[in-house]
């Protein structure tokens, strides 16, 4: 069995056939999914999905590309919301995105630090988005970890080895998406080989980044199987071993999510 640790089931891309998408995930052996918040203002919609589908859980947080829109959300607000519903199993996604340059870096950093504090207080995992921001990301993670530990996931990892090493050193998890399967991702697969097996996760980031077998199509949770297959090949493990270890890791970091 597998867990898709990061998808966006509330997005309009899935509206028409969401029931079928959940069924296909189950048929593929994907027993649970975490649908990730990009705006705190849309939390009610995420919770409605988790209540409709027993196998779906969610997070609460603000994507860095929306940081300026939710600067009124404080750490205490995130803590209160995170503790308001048992299906909320993580904080985020939050972080830094300097690739798109749609939000001021200072606003992204402000929001990121608030999310870190919420994770520290709740001990729910922080789902981190980091793109073209390796140095600032590593610096903030080191600084904030010095104030007190918090669990975190570097999601959809596509950064450099140095950030991966920093994440692992500080106790974080590294989550690989369909990017790992792309022919030109040799460097990323080499990085994956360096990650301790107890820190590895798999995800889709659906509807984005469909893995190689379905490249060019809209991504969906069932496709995480292909990412797990390529991760297994990369690590020299069987698919069953890789599924088991990534699932065990998911339950460890998403400690509020019940094992099935």
């Amino acid at each position: 069995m597998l867990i898709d640790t990061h998808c966006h089931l509330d997005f309009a891309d899935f509206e028409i056939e969401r029931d079928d998408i959940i069924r296909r995930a189950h048929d593929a052996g994907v027993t649970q999914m975490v649908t990730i918040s990009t705006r705190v203002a849309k939390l009610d919609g995420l919770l409605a999905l988790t209540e409709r589908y027993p196998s779906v859980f969610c997070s609460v947080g603000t994507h860095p590309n929306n940081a300026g829109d939710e600067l009124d959300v404080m750490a205490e607000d995130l803590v209160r919301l995170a503790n308001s519903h048992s299906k909320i199993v993580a904080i985020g996604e939050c972080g830094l995105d300097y690739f798109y340059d749609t939000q001021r870096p200072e606003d992204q950093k402000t929001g990121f630090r608030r999310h870190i504090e919420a994770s520290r207080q709740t001990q729910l995992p922080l789902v981190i988005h980091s793109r073209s921001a390796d140095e600032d990301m590593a610096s903030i993670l080191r600084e904030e970890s010095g104030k007190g530990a918090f669990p975190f996931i570097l999601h959809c990892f596509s950064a450099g080895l140095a950030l991966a090493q920093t994440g692992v050193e500080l106790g974080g998890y590294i989550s690989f998406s369909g990017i790992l399967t792309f022919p030109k991702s040799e460097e990323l697969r080499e990085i994956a080989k360096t990650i301790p097996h107890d820190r590895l996760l798999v995800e889709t980031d659906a509807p984005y980044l469909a893995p190689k077998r379905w490249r060019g199509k809209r991504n969906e949770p069932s496709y995480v199987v292909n990412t797990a297959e390529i991760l297994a090949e990369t690590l020299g493990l069987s698919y069953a071993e890789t599924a088991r270890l990534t699932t065990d890791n998911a339950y460890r970091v998403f400690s509020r999510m019940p094992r099935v």
Side-chain angles (χ1 to χ4, degrees):
M1 78 188 223
L2 288 172
I3 295 174
D4 183 358
T5 61
H6 193 117
C7 56
H8 297 283
L9 292 173
D10 61 317
F11 283 15
D13 307 66
F14 298 123
E15 190 68 40
I16 296 175
E17 54 171 343
R18 196 173 284 118
D19 288 350
D20 291 336
I21 287 165
I22 300 297
R23 176 185 52 76
R24 287 196 291 269
H26 294 164
D27 289 347
V30 181
T31 55
Q32 289 167 307
M33 293 145 267
V34 186
T35 186
I36 300 295
S37 173
T38 58
R39 293 180 186 268
V40 172
K42 294 186 176 182
L43 178 61
D44 286 349
L46 289 178
L47 288 174
L49 286 177
T50 70
E51 290 167 356
R52 180 173 179 180
Y53 303 106
S55 61
V56 175
F57 298 80
C58 75
S59 68
V60 57
T62 306
H63 193 286
N65 289 334
N66 301 323
D69 298 333
E70 295 196 331
L71 287 175
D72 57 331
V73 177
M74 302 296 172
E76 54 266 34
D77 298 316
L78 293 166
V79 171
R80 174 179 52 80
L81 290 169
N83 289 329
S84 70
H85 201 293
S86 63
K87 279 295 199 85
I88 299 175
V89 298
I91 305 292
E93 71 184 281
C94 59
L96 305 174
D97 190 323
Y98 297 165
F99 179 81
Y100 284 110
D101 193 29
T102 62
Q103 301 288 318
R104 299 191 307 168
E106 55 265 41
D107 290 346
Q108 295 184 47
K109 291 176 181 178
T110 294
F112 186 29
R113 291 182 187 274
R114 291 174 183 173
H115 284 70
I116 290 172
E117 179 58 29
S119 174
R120 187 183 290 119
Q121 290 187 32
T122 61
Q123 286 300 296
L124 293 178
L126 187 71
V127 180
I128 297 175
H129 173 110
S130 181
R131 189 168 186 189
S132 301
D134 287 23
E135 290 187 8
D136 280 1
M137 177 57 64
S139 177
I140 291 174
L141 287 176
R142 287 191 181 281
E143 179 186 342
E144 291 291 339
S145 292
K147 300 175 184 178
F150 54 95
F152 66 88
I153 300 163
L154 290 171
H155 114 87
C156 192
F157 191 83
S158 60
L161 177 61
L163 182 57
Q165 291 174 329
T166 298
V168 169
E169 175 190 338
L170 297 175
Y173 291 72
I174 310 296
S175 183
F176 291 103
S177 69
I179 296 174
L180 187 77
T181 73
F182 298 170
K184 294 183 178 180
S185 292
E186 293 92 345
E187 183 177 346
L188 188 60
R189 288 188 286 274
E190 288 301 311
I191 291 173
K193 293 177 183 178
T194 73
I195 306 302
H197 288 184
D198 64 351
R199 303 293 184 81
L200 290 165
L201 298 169
V202 289
E203 64 170 89
T204 57
D205 203 13
Y208 310 115
L209 301 172
K212 180 181 177 182
R213 188 185 301 167
W214 294 281
R215 191 77 189 271
K217 295 184 178 181
R218 179 205 61 192
N219 204 359
E220 61 178 73
S222 63
Y223 295 175
V224 75
V225 169
N226 192 207
T227 299
E229 290 170 341
I230 299 303
L231 181 60
E233 289 180 16
T234 300
L235 301 178
L237 299 175
S238 70
Y239 175 80
E241 289 172 321
T242 302
R244 182 166 55 250
L245 74 87
T246 58
T247 297
D248 287 345
N249 294 345
Y251 282 127
R252 189 183 313 113
V253 68
F254 292 101
S255 57
R256 189 180 283 181
M257 188 164 61
R259 184 180 285 268
V260 296

